[in-house]
Amino acid sequence: MRALLLFICLHPLTLLAQGNFEIEGKVDALKNGNRIYLVYQAEDQQLTDSAQVQNGTFHFKGTLAYPVYATLYLHKNPYVNRPAPGEKMDYFRLYIEPAHIKVQAIDSLKNMVITGSPINKLHKELRAMLKANDDKFDALGKAFQALPAEKQKDKTVYDSVVALEKQILTESYEVHLAFVNKHPDSYLSVISLSNVAAHPEMTAGAEKAYQKLSPRLKNTPLAKGIPVLLAAPSSTQIGKTAPDFEQQSSDNKTVKLSALRKQYVLLDFWASWCGPCREENPNLVAAHNKYKDKGFTVLGVSLDGPGQKNAWINAIKQDELNWMQVADLKGWENSVAKLYGIRSIPANFLIDPDGKIIARDLKGKELWDKLEEVLK
């Protein structure tokens, strides 16, 4: 089901003045000498710290301009030492902010309870608001997996499941808007809006919610990008001229979208870590190979983040993506992704030789049919 479901990710960022944070951890079952790794993203960098366990306790200290979403891992950093196939890691996700945060458990990191952190308290409230929606997603996934293989491949069945999924996603957006309206002074509201704002059915509600944000929140970098997201549904409609942009290629050259005029361009948003994107790549490769000499090319925009350049480059080589690739390595904060309102991947736009958007989100046979139509 993972390959079927759309991917959407809450931005792992979050508050507001440069300040010190401290994490005081205690897990009774930990042994002396065990090592805990703290991994988080801040200021467009992926940062890692580690601490040794003594008498079941561990500590972290640091400075943040904004609170961020972080992960505590037991024994190893999976970004450096990849887990073996089937290996289960003990980890725990939380927000870190300028505060004295306590995390405690008896047996495992995954069962830790957080105290002393206002933003984690609010995050718990948001997760509770989303629980019914999450349960619907889980039920849909289980129902799909329970189908015979031939049913899973049936287009009518597939389309019906995708339609249900989109309905559940829309319901989740409404929950996020409700949270924003309830907590206009929380940075979590900025995160929720940054995920909701670019969806056409949510634009009006998101615009009203954005206006309710406190002035201090509107001045944060993440909030300053929300007006761009709010404009994306209108500026990227079929028939509109595709918004132009420049970004660095994988070989450190500046690439400008408008320089690719006079041919059909598939603007493809993907990432090395995105399973459905990687599964769709062979289809793109085949289409590119067939039509590249007939006025068609692809421009890939990667949503890989800080510290993931090697993974991005390796994925290009492994999947044999022999077309131009660009990225700013800011993950979901990629400037082109925000300009085009991208909040789930894979996603794409087909642009004609005059620079007009003529189709979007073409996958599988739909891409081939459209290319055959416009290139015949």
Side-chain angles (χ1 to χ4, degrees):
M1 192 63 176
R2 181 173 295 275
L4 171 64
L5 295 179
L6 297 173
F7 276 67
I8 187 161
C9 173
L10 290 183
H11 295 277
L13 302 173
T14 13
L15 242 337
L16 296 163
Q18 189 84 16
N20 298 322
F21 73 86
E22 181 177 358
I23 301 175
E24 181 182 339
K26 188 176 191 305
V27 180
D28 295 342
L30 294 179
K31 299 177 181 179
N32 289 346
N34 283 166
R35 187 157 290 277
I36 306 295
Y37 292 86
L38 173 67
V39 181
Y40 59 98
Q41 182 178 319
E43 303 297 333
D44 297 332
Q45 294 182 345
Q46 187 178 64
L47 303 177
T48 301
D49 197 358
S50 68
Q52 186 168 294
V53 174
Q54 186 67 35
N55 297 324
T57 67
F58 57 90
H59 295 83
F60 291 98
K61 291 183 178 181
T63 303
L64 288 170
Y66 302 92
V68 297
Y69 204 42
T71 307
L72 294 168
Y73 294 100
L74 177 61
H75 296 318
K76 68 180 181 181
N77 177 0
Y79 295 96
V80 176
N81 298 306
R82 290 289 181 183
E87 179 182 356
K88 293 183 179 180
M89 293 194 65
D90 190 11
Y91 65 92
F92 183 74
R93 292 195 172 103
L94 75 163
Y95 282 96
I96 53 177
E97 62 180 321
H100 186 172
I101 305 167
K102 293 184 178 181
V103 289
Q104 293 180 297
I106 295 174
D107 54 351
S108 170
L109 265 63
K110 66 182 179 182
N111 294 324
M112 288 195 298
V113 176
I114 308 170
T115 56
S117 172
I119 204 162
N120 282 290
K121 185 176 180 180
L122 279 178
H123 187 241
K124 184 177 180 180
E125 177 185 336
L126 176 58
R127 294 315 312 169
M129 293 171 67
L130 286 165
K131 185 179 184 308
N133 189 263
D134 292 340
D135 290 344
K136 288 183 180 180
F137 266 120
D138 290 341
L140 180 62
K142 290 177 181 177
F144 182 80
Q145 291 295 343
L147 293 174
E150 62 272 15
K151 282 287 187 181
Q152 293 183 15
K153 296 176 182 178
D154 183 271
K155 188 177 186 304
T156 301
V157 173
Y158 180 93
D159 289 345
S160 67
V161 173
V162 170
L164 284 172
E165 179 194 54
K166 289 181 178 179
Q167 179 182 331
I168 298 171
L169 275 173
T170 299
E171 292 171 0
S172 75
Y173 303 152
E174 292 169 350
V175 172
H176 281 287
L177 281 184
F179 178 85
V180 174
N181 287 315
K182 185 178 179 181
H183 299 286
D185 199 40
S186 169
Y187 198 74
L188 276 178
S189 294
V190 178
I191 296 171
S192 287
L193 274 180
S194 69
N195 283 280
V196 169
H199 297 279
E201 67 274 18
M202 295 288 113
T203 302
E207 171 66 32
K208 292 179 181 179
Y210 172 75
Q211 295 304 330
K212 293 181 181 179
L213 291 180
S214 65
R216 71 189 185 96
L217 287 178
K218 286 183 179 178
N219 284 326
T220 62
L222 186 59
K224 287 179 179 180
I226 290 176
V228 178
L229 293 168
L230 289 170
S234 174
S235 62
T236 59
Q237 289 180 358
I238 291 176
K240 293 287 187 71
T241 298
D244 200 10
F245 62 84
E246 289 184 356
Q247 202 156 95
Q248 293 298 112
S249 70
S250 54
D251 55 357
N252 298 316
K253 296 178 181 178
T254 300
V255 177
K256 191 171 184 178
L257 175 64
S258 57
L260 301 178
R261 292 276 175 89
K262 298 185 179 180
Q263 60 187 323
Y264 286 90
V265 179
L266 186 73
L267 183 61
D268 179 53
F269 293 89
W270 72 295
S272 67
W273 45 259
C274 171
C277 304
R278 303 292 296 273
E279 290 177 10
E280 178 65 15
N281 278 345
N283 185 58
L284 296 187
V285 170
H288 178 257
N289 289 342
K290 180 173 181 180
Y291 294 108
K292 65 182 179 180
D293 296 325
K294 299 179 181 180
F296 171 69
T297 192
V298 182
L299 175 58
V301 180
S302 169
L303 271 64
D304 282 287
Q308 295 179 321
K309 184 172 183 178
N310 287 339
W312 172 43
I313 300 297
N314 289 336
I316 293 172
K317 293 178 180 177
Q318 290 168 6
D319 294 0
E320 299 181 347
L321 308 182
N322 296 319
W323 51 78
M324 195 71 71
Q325 296 282 346
V326 299
D328 58 14
L329 297 174
K330 294 182 179 181
W332 289 102
E333 293 308 295
N334 181 289
S335 60
V336 182
K338 295 176 77 169
L339 183 64
Y340 279 78
I342 301 302
R343 282 302 175 260
S344 64
I345 53 177
N348 60 52
F349 294 82
L350 184 60
I351 303 168
D352 75 7
D354 295 322
K356 304 280 187 186
I357 298 172
I358 59 172
R360 63 177 300 170
D361 295 329
L362 298 171
K363 300 179 181 69
K365 186 174 181 296
E366 291 178 344
L367 174 62
W368 288 77
D369 290 344
K370 190 65 178 178
L371 291 177
E372 188 66 26
E373 173 193 329
V374 299
L375 293 171
K376 66 181 180 181

